[in-house]
Amino acid sequence: DTAVSQTPKYLVTQMGNDKSIKCEQNLGHDTMYWYKQDSKKFLKIMFSYNNKELIINETVPNRFSPKSPDKAHLNLHINSLELGDSAVYFCASSQQGGEKLFFGSGTQLSVL
Amino acid sequence: GESVGLHLPTLSVQEGDNSIINCAYSNSASDYFIWYKQESGKGPQFIIDIRSNMDKRQGQRVTVLLNKTVKHLSLQIAATQPGDSAVYFCAESGAGGTSYGKLTFGQGTILTVHP
């Protein structure tokens, strides 16, 4: 009965590869997000989607492409992975763009 | 341990003490503030929030205080327990509800509770 679930939990890959992270929420929320947490624990928004529409794109490189097939899912595809992409990526959701976000448990991406 | 090299502010307390974690924000237009707790290997977990039309809000064992004059936010945890050990983040949002969940996070504070 996890509210926001993302897979995989860990992702280790080589530079130049393409990878995807999946996220699903069962809270009935309209709005979903991707946040990135760097090695210093700093959390920063990457994208937000409301009812499958892109609302926020925080100048993320276009190697990162979010896709929302429906309002309960928001996936993140990353092309041509770089060393600097290593981080923990968190999916989150909220009701109608509200600021009280519910976060998933994160995907730790390591690019070698 | 996990905190090595992170250089985040740290707070060490004894079990049963009260803890106060502080946060300064810079955007005077921010009208919503929220505290999250992040345990090792987990995502941020909601603790308590407050809007700018209030200066205090209480939850179970936690209180958030907002001082808009000096742009300062604090989280008070009563009778701190070992299970409270985590990284605590404050975050802010502005523009009267049109921010679409764009929270700006502070740097985090590591709270360690000793039995």
Side-chain angles (χ1 to χ4, degrees):
Chain A
D1 59 347
T2 306
V4 181
S5 59
Q6 51 183 111
T7 55
K9 175 78 174 168
Y10 301 98
L11 188 50
V12 181
T13 188
Q14 300 286 332
M15 261 195 328
N17 283 351
D18 304 337
K19 290 293 178 186
S20 292
I21 307 171
K22 294 186 174 182
C23 179
E24 175 182 7
Q25 54 93 6
N26 62 5
L27 296 167
H29 288 164
D30 306 281
T31 314
M32 295 186 71
Y33 311 83
W34 281 107
Y35 275 76
K36 179 180 179 180
Q37 187 171 49
D38 64 20
S39 58
K40 294 183 170 60
K41 294 286 192 185
F42 183 64
L43 271 158
K44 191 173 189 319
I45 191 169
M46 299 173 69
F47 301 102
S48 76
Y49 269 73
N50 187 62
N51 276 320
K52 304 190 294 175
E53 279 192 48
L54 179 67
I55 302 295
I56 293 175
N57 179 341
E58 280 291 298
T59 59
V60 178
N62 58 15
R63 298 183 296 104
F64 290 78
S65 51
K67 284 193 171 48
S68 182
D70 56 62
K71 71 175 190 177
H73 295 83
L74 180 63
N75 304 322
L76 183 65
H77 187 76
I78 315 169
N79 288 326
S80 304
L81 278 154
E82 301 177 357
L83 293 175
D85 297 332
S86 296
V88 182
Y89 292 84
F90 287 101
C91 178
S93 71
S94 72
Q95 183 62 22
Q96 294 179 335
E99 303 101 329
K100 184 175 174 180
L101 270 57
F102 293 81
F103 284 84
S105 57
T107 295
Q108 185 163 342
L109 172 65
S110 299
V111 183
L112 307 177
Chain B
E2 183 188 5
S3 63
V4 172
L6 283 178
H7 303 298
L8 295 181
T10 59
L11 175 64
S12 289
V13 300
Q14 290 295 127
E15 182 177 2
D17 287 351
N18 296 333
S19 302
I20 300 176
I21 300 171
N22 296 303
C23 180
Y25 64 95
S26 56
N27 185 357
S28 55
S30 294
D31 67 353
Y32 176 82
F33 304 87
I34 188 168
W35 281 97
Y36 282 94
K37 171 187 180 184
Q38 186 177 18
E39 296 174 275
S40 180
K42 296 185 179 179
Q45 178 186 3
F46 170 82
I47 303 173
I48 193 167
D49 56 0
I50 189 168
R51 291 228 171 256
S52 59
N53 60 353
M54 302 172 69
D55 52 23
K56 180 179 180 179
R57 192 166 187 216
Q58 288 185 286
Q60 189 178 13
R61 280 202 309 120
V62 294
T63 301
V64 55
L65 298 177
L66 175 62
N67 185 330
K68 294 180 287 294
T69 304
V70 296
K71 297 202 278 282
H72 184 267
L73 190 69
S74 68
L75 176 70
Q76 299 178 358
I77 306 173
T80 318
Q81 302 165 2
D84 295 326
S85 295
V87 180
Y88 288 80
F89 292 94
C90 65
E92 57 176 303
S93 177
T98 62
S99 59
Y100 265 98
K102 182 181 175 183
L103 294 175
T104 299
F105 279 81
Q107 68 176 130
T109 297
I110 301 171
L111 174 66
T112 304
V113 183
H114 301 284

